[in-house]
Amino acid sequence: MRPIVILILLLFIAAGVVLGALNADLVNYDLGFARLQLPKGAALLGALVIGWLLGGLTAWLGVSSKHRRQRRLQARKRDPKASADA
C-alpha cells in the first residue's frame, strides 16, 4: 500500500512541476488592497490548495457540529434531570 501512495504522490508532484513549467508567464491580479503578479501555474496551484483547504474546513465543521449536537441529545436522554438543572 505504501509504495502505491508514494507513486501517486510522485505523479502529482511531477504533474505540478510540468504545469508550472508550461504556464510560466506572469498574470496580474488586483485584489483591491494589493496587486500581485504571479506565474499562471503558481496561481492555479494556489487556488487549488486554497479550495481544497476551504472545502475540507467546511466539511469538518459540518461533521463536528453534527456530532456535537448528537452528543448533546444523547446526554439529555441519559440524564434528563441534569439538563433541567442547567
Side-chain angles (χ1 to χ4, degrees), residues 7-67:
L7 180 64
I8 291 172
L9 181 64
L10 289 174
L11 286 173
F12 275 99
I13 291 171
V17 168
V18 169
L19 182 75
L22 292 176
N23 294 297
D25 43 330
L26 295 176
V27 179
N28 294 319
Y29 293 98
D30 186 3
L31 303 174
F33 57 89
R35 291 181 188 211
L36 300 173
Q37 200 173 27
L38 297 170
K40 282 184 193 176
L44 181 62
L45 290 174
L48 179 72
V49 168
I50 289 170
W52 180 74
L53 289 173
L54 289 176
L57 179 67
T58 303
W60 178 75
L61 288 174
V63 170
S64 65
S65 65
K66 180 181 175 184
H67 285 266

Side-chain angles (χ1 to χ4, degrees), residues 68-85:
R68 196 172 27 243
R69 200 173 326 115
Q70 287 175 346
R71 279 184 270 150
R72 219 176 346 195
L73 288 173
Q74 288 174 353
R76 286 183 192 158
K77 287 179 184 177
R78 275 188 255 134
D79 194 11
K81 188 175 183 180
S83 63
D85 293 340

